[in-house]
Amino acid sequence: MPLHSSPDAFDTSDDDGLPLRGLTEPSTRGAGTRTPRTDTRSPTPHLMGARPAATGGTAPLPMGAGGAPERAPAGARGQVPPPAPPAIPRKPAELPPAHTTLICVALPGLAISTDQGQLTGQGLEGFYRAGRRMLSRCEVRVAGREPLAVQARMVTADRARFMGTLRMSADAGPDPDVMVERTRHADGTERITLHNTALRPMRLPVEVALGTDLAELGAVASGRAGPELPASVHDSGLRWSGATGQSTVTAHPPPADALASAGLLRWELELPPGGTRSVELRVRPDGAGPIRPVGRGATSPIAQARAAGDDPGAQALLHTCLEDLEALLLRDPANPSDTHLAAGAPWRCGMAPADALAAARMTLPLGTRLAVGTLRTLARTQLAGPGAQFGLIPGPRRDVGPHLPPGCTGTEATLLFPVLLAEARRWGLPEQETAELLPAAERCLQWLRTTTGDITYLADPRPGGPLRCETQAHAHRAALLGADLLDAYARPGGAELREWARLLRHRFRADFWAEDRGGGRPAAARTPDGRLVPHLGAAAVHLLDTGLLGAGTHAPGLLDKVQTEQLARLLGGPAMDSGWGLRSLGAKESAYNPFGHRSGAVRVHETAVAVAGLAAAGYEKEASSLLRGVLAAADGFGHRLPEMYAGEQRTAGGAPLPHPAACRPAATAAAAGVLLLTTLAGIRPDAPAGTVTLRPVCSAPLGEIGLTGLRVAGAPFAVRVSRLGLAMVEEAADGLQLGV
């Protein structure tokens, strides 16, 4: 499935490190399922102020024929060539809005529709498979008229239902007498059903106009889809052929007429009073079979957990999150038994290493199968051979907002790998599978120590880049959990990693703390010359995410107790807590934009990390406020959380504002819903030791809640938290003991 960018991805290269064509921020990329190469280009020269230009670095030389740099006209020796005309800046491409669309997902299949139900070929509309639009137009007319759209809704993650009506009799008054129901599936199936509600029989001519351009999603999003292709009659439907492939639509029952020149199928349907007739269309690449989604039945690596209690929104959110996670599952082509999550639809339907690891980590309460599949898939991409990048898991650059240059997600993924493996072992990943993945984790840790060398901090991979607060938090957690993992298998290096982490803690608390009259704050970064970048953003929540060690304990954090308390106060304050979740940049900071994907919008993943970290550190008031805010936002989005939404302040009777370019569903947002609800129970397992510890949120912000169908130590696990904040295990693996 091609990997496309969202506003979360900086657009100087696609996820294979290839230059983009014709798009600027935000961009859309088509990079297949190959693993991205880490960006190693020269640094953006300015760390403060305006966001780096979308093309990054210096302007390329104008290119002449054959791709060689264009040279000045020949002339006398020493003659100064005329100056080149000034470059005309490219206008940023406008992504088609996604917030008003209904997106059915069962990867590699997508069906994108508006609330009108008709597929008109405009915007993103159409059926897609593996990133290519198989059908762009599917317009239904009954007796020459379009049905009046009255309702559109998602039924499941992969299915949408559209209802329309028609008034066929002039003497029927204002009441419709024909209902047109369309059920659209991500696998390329559409069922059109006509219901006759009148007291007389009807003979209704039905026409379906079809067309496609066979365009890649990236081309569709950037307005480069091209014209519709000519159709030909094929079997019981139509076929389109182009340089990039073929697509067919077959119909059951077969149409009475098929007009290739108009792309039209026709039926004459007899409907008795109260009767129903249906037509089913199946869209496929020529010769391809139906889509078999990964996340169905016994093949799904995600346990079917349930939530029940005082707040009905908890179960609705968990149910939708599980559906979205299953819809985004992909198989690794190199080993189809290994599954991982795509980053999100419609823009990022392929592997994004850091997102896949983060989502797998948040879903560990649902079992370890997704974690192990993700780890195995990424272990096969790890860089080998001599050199400074040995052990690195490649990843693309990511825009991190207006105050800093883009960051490399390869660094984040490499540091998340040993963390996920160590915590998956605590949740019940079998020792044999852990041991098989241990060499890849050791290479990640070796990369960390080689990259830091004799210095304390993990620097940006681009020379001259900043020391990022978030990166130090990831590195510190990886060192401590990695050392724990190495010790468990009697591997060397644990003591060295712990000593480096201790020195990092000692220096970080002084070097990354910006004092001010309000009590100070952690700096977002330090520039190479030692200046602090002091803006307050959601990246600071990773300082609270220390990771799970043995006996249900968390690793120590980079901040001391006083600094942690101050950070909790800031995260719970009105500048960061929007009432719908945590803003990605404080409302009082320069360049704040409530729609800015890294400069003010609410990102669900970061909010969930903040809730879990605050709750673990004992700051339940702040954690509960953020938790209730996200659940309120989820209700406004039909419980299908987008990856981000506007950070506008919540008001009485208000609703969250959608971001027009957000992925929905998104892997990290769906996984964040799991983390938010399981944080209420504070489940801290240590499967190798045969124990599980509960540290529930004592204030019980959602009242009583019971979670069933979770997985700990390879067995079903159920826990209930009372209104008094007391937790009780109701189901667990044999021999699993409750820790203290």
Side-chain angles (χ1 to χ4, degrees), residues 492-505:
E496 180 186 3
L497 286 167
R498 287 193 184 89
E499 177 60 18
W500 177 80
R502 185 190 66 80
L503 293 173
L504 177 62
R505 282 196 301 277

Side-chain angles (χ1 to χ4, degrees), residues 682-704:
I683 307 166
R684 302 183 185 182
D686 189 355
T691 64
V692 61
T693 304
L694 301 179
R695 295 286 187 269
V697 178
C698 297
S699 58
L702 301 185
E704 183 176 343

